[in-house]
Structure formats: C-alpha cells, structure tokens
Amino acid sequence: GGDHTITYPILQALAAKHGPVGLVHVDAHTDTGDTALGERIYHGSPFRRCVEEGLLDCGRVVQIGIRGSSYDPDPNKYCREQGFRVVPAEECWMKSLEPLMREVRVQMGDGPVYISFDIDGLDPAYAPGTGTPEIAGLTPAQALEIIRGCKGLNIVGCDLVEVAPMYDTSGNTALLGANLLFEMLCVLPGVKTL
C-alpha cells in the first residue's frame, strides 16, 4: 500500500534482523533518485537511501520493467554502478519471463530476499490507477511469471505499492494489485500450494 517511500523503513527493519537483503524490484522507474524539490526521502528515492545505509546486498538486486521518461541521458547508470541488474521493459516485450526468473533465482541464492512491486511496472492499459504511469510496460501474465518465479527463494517480505484507485474508475488496478499480493503470499516460504 501507499507510495514507494514505504519500502525504505520496511527494509531498515528487515536489514536490522537479516542483514543486507536481495531485492526483486518490479517498476517503471528505478526509484534511485537523490532529491526532489529539496527532499531526500520521496517515492522516487527509496532504493538510493537503502544503498546509502547498506540495507541492500547490491549484487542481489534486480529491477524489472524499467522504462519511461528521464531527466538524464543514462538514467540507469547509478543502478549499474551499484551492481544492480536492470532489465528494461523492452527486454521483456512479447516473451515469457520464466527464463529471466530462472536467472534471478540463481542470482538471489539462499540469502534473504524482498519483493517490491510498483503497480506502474505494468502497462497502464492494465493498471491505469497509479500516479506515474508509463506506456509499454509489463502484462499481468508477466507479473505472475515474476512473482511465481520467486517461489523457493528465502523471501522475508514483500510489498505492492502505488495503487491510486481514484485514477481508475473501473477498479481494475485495485483488482490486479490485490491478486498480485495474493500471489506474493503464495510464494512465501512454507506456504503450501497445489
């Protein structure tokens, strides 16, 4: 729930218990900005703050679905410099993400992993109810492949953020968000599914 700023204090708490965690981050944006309107903590900066505090195991961070407008000619440079794997949306177009998730499972290994899913990772045709929509995003089926592809990882927490129901009178964004959260609950360690 809420905007992506909420992930920052959650990761502070998880890192205090588990040490630096791996991250499977689905989003249209990397959320590694430094400041906005003079503020260092906002929905576009949580993962930069997490890097600065040592909350992330940067070699075990993957960001999927990244796209959209930027004020920088190389908007993913900071992420690459930290050791993040950045998977732009165009690398996901018109294909199954199961092969990618096999690679992600190897990258994550046995260490603690957090899943952070921004609903704007999906194309606004499916999820228009969000504050910063970007065209040419992931499909709901790809979202399921990502989440289901996390089964077997040492998941210590997850979130789904940036749903803004007032921007979607159909209710489809909230429906999709609720179903994706259910899917995340199903891949938590110890949960038995059919």
Side-chain angles (χ1 to χ4, degrees), residues 85 97-109:
R85 178 177 183 181
L97 299 187
E98 286 184 356
L100 169 65
M101 292 312 296
R102 282 195 295 271
E103 295 173 9
V104 168
R105 282 195 301 277
V106 171
Q107 179 183 358
M108 294 299 145

Side-chain angles (χ1 to χ4, degrees), residues 46-63:
F47 300 115
R48 182 177 289 243
R49 302 290 84 89
C50 289
V51 167
E52 292 168 352
E53 292 185 24
L55 310 178
L56 296 174
D57 180 353
C58 293
R60 294 190 314 115
V61 173
V62 62
Q63 298 181 302

Side-chain angles (χ1 to χ4, degrees), residues 130-168:
T130 188
T132 51
E134 302 282 0
I135 66 163
L138 303 175
T139 68
Q142 289 174 317
L144 291 178
E145 287 179 320
I146 293 167
I147 295 169
R148 292 177 181 180
C150 290
K151 188 168 182 65
L153 294 177
N154 181 16
I155 301 166
V156 295
C158 54
D159 65 45
L160 187 132
V161 298
E162 299 285 350
V163 173
M166 65 278 212
Y167 296 146
D168 181 5

Side-chain angles (χ1 to χ4, degrees), residues 61-158:
V61 173
V62 62
Q63 298 181 302
I64 305 170
I66 306 302
R67 63 191 188 283
S69 55
S70 173
Y71 300 109
D72 191 302
D74 188 1
N76 303 327
K77 182 180 177 191
Y78 175 84
C79 300
R80 289 192 314 273
E81 288 174 348
Q82 306 316 307
F84 296 5
R85 178 177 183 181
V86 179
V87 182
E90 56 263 27
E91 291 182 19
C92 303
W93 292 342
M94 296 174 280
K95 63 179 162 184
S96 170
L97 299 187
E98 286 184 356
L100 169 65
M101 292 312 296
R102 282 195 295 271
E103 295 173 9
V104 168
R105 282 195 301 277
V106 171
Q107 179 183 358
M108 294 299 145
D110 296 330
V113 176
Y114 188 81
I115 303 170
S116 189
F117 202 116
D118 186 324
I119 200 71
D120 74 20
L122 297 175
D123 191 272
Y126 307 107
T130 188
T132 51
E134 302 282 0
I135 66 163
L138 303 175
T139 68
Q142 289 174 317
L144 291 178
E145 287 179 320
I146 293 167
I147 295 169
R148 292 177 181 180
C150 290
K151 188 168 182 65
L153 294 177
N154 181 16
I155 301 166
V156 295
C158 54

